[in-house]
Amino acid sequence: MLAVFPGLDTPALLFFAFAVLLLAGFVKGVIGLGLPTISVGLLGLVLAPLEAAALLLIPNLVTNLWQLLIGPDLRGLIRRLWPMLAGIVVGTLLAAAWFPLGGAAWATPLLGLALFVYAGLGLLAIQLAVPARQEGWAGPLVGLSTGAVTILTGVFVLPAVPYLQGLRLQRDDLVQALGLSFQISTLALAAALLWQGDFRMPQAGASLLALLPALGGMLLGQALRSRIGALAFRRAFFGGLLLLGGYLMLKALL
């Protein structure tokens, strides 16, 4: 069923997609993020970024829902973050109206650039500091930018993740806030794909099937979380993304 995507039309490529989804789910289980970033990045080697993002729609919806529901204060986060969340929806839909979904030649190098920048920020441990008085204007701007980046690259970590980290939330609140942001981004992307006719029953069936390895990997990661050194694992995660992003950018130039 995954073969409805042209880049996954052989058994070897299907196995590759299964392994990518398993790995990405495992990383999300360990550190609470990374499923769409790793999946879209690695699948971007054989698929257009938005095709990879379409394959990830249902796994993202399920795993993010799980993440945001188990946190301590969902209502409080919605009240605080709604300007950013509204910006994500508006930015995604506006960008979808202006740019071709996944068909542009620059989509893959832009994906590589996004991964490279995100990984660099993570490795350097650069964190913003967002004063509460600035959230009123910064939140919508971050949301609009995140929505545009989602359409251009298929991933929705920039600038939303650095912004949320800059709010200095408690760990459990931050994990829940990330899940909330990712869920809204996934729903907005799904609306854009449906609007453009790029997510129909065959793609939905493939995305549902992709849930199995992603969820299995996430459960395994959660079970092993306490046995894995979090700092070393995060460095390996960001280091791998840095190399992948660099490769995707170089690939477009060669």
Side-chain angles (χ1 to χ4, degrees):
M1 188 178 290
L2 293 180
V4 298
F5 295 94
L8 301 176
D9 52 3
T10 69
L13 290 171
L14 289 175
F15 178 81
F16 172 71
F18 181 91
V20 166
L21 292 163
L22 189 66
L23 171 64
F26 177 78
V27 173
K28 186 175 180 68
V30 174
I31 62 175
L33 51 85
L35 176 61
T37 313
I38 291 176
S39 297
V40 173
L42 287 173
L43 291 175
L45 297 172
V46 295
L47 296 175
L50 261 294
E51 288 181 330
L55 179 61
L56 267 290
L57 278 181
I58 292 178
N60 278 331
L61 287 171
V62 172
T63 56
N64 290 330
L65 181 63
W66 186 339
Q67 182 172 332
L68 69 91
L69 289 180
I70 63 175
D73 188 18
L74 180 57
R75 288 186 179 181
L77 285 175
I78 291 175
R79 285 196 298 269
R80 181 174 181 179
L81 300 177
W82 75 262
M84 185 195 79
L85 302 176
I88 288 174
V89 175
V90 173
T92 301
L93 297 180
L94 286 178
W98 290 340
F99 299 105
L101 292 182
W106 35 257
T108 297
L110 275 180
L111 170 61
L113 178 61
L115 296 179
F116 193 86
V117 171
Y118 177 55
L121 292 173
L123 285 173
L124 295 173
I126 295 174
Q127 287 197 354
L128 302 175
V130 183
R133 65 181 182 277
Q134 295 182 1
E135 291 182 39
W137 65 266
L141 183 60
V142 167
L144 288 168
S145 302
T146 300
V149 171
T150 298
I151 292 299
L152 294 173
T153 68
V155 296
F156 29 77
V157 294
L158 290 176
V161 172
Y163 172 78
L164 291 173
Q165 290 172 335
L167 298 180
R168 297 295 193 264
L169 299 169
Q170 296 296 319
R171 175 177 170 78
D172 289 344
D173 289 319
L174 176 59
V175 171
Q176 189 174 35
L178 290 170
L180 179 60
S181 175
F182 296 160
Q183 188 74 331
I184 296 301
S185 290
T186 302
L187 289 170
L189 177 59
L193 290 170
L194 286 168
W195 175 32
Q196 299 284 9
D198 291 320
F199 192 75
R200 300 190 182 278
M201 285 304 297
Q203 289 83 4
S207 186
L208 183 61
L209 186 61
L211 175 63
L212 297 177
L215 199 56
M218 183 176 173
L219 291 172
L220 180 61
Q222 288 178 335
L224 297 178
R225 180 187 298 169
S226 62
R227 304 181 186 181
I228 298 174
L231 181 59
F233 192 86
R234 289 181 68 89
R235 285 175 177 170
F237 166 65
F238 286 120
L241 285 183
L242 192 76
L243 293 174
L244 178 60
Y247 173 77
L248 289 175
M249 286 189 292
L250 288 174
K251 179 183 175 185
L253 297 175
L254 298 177

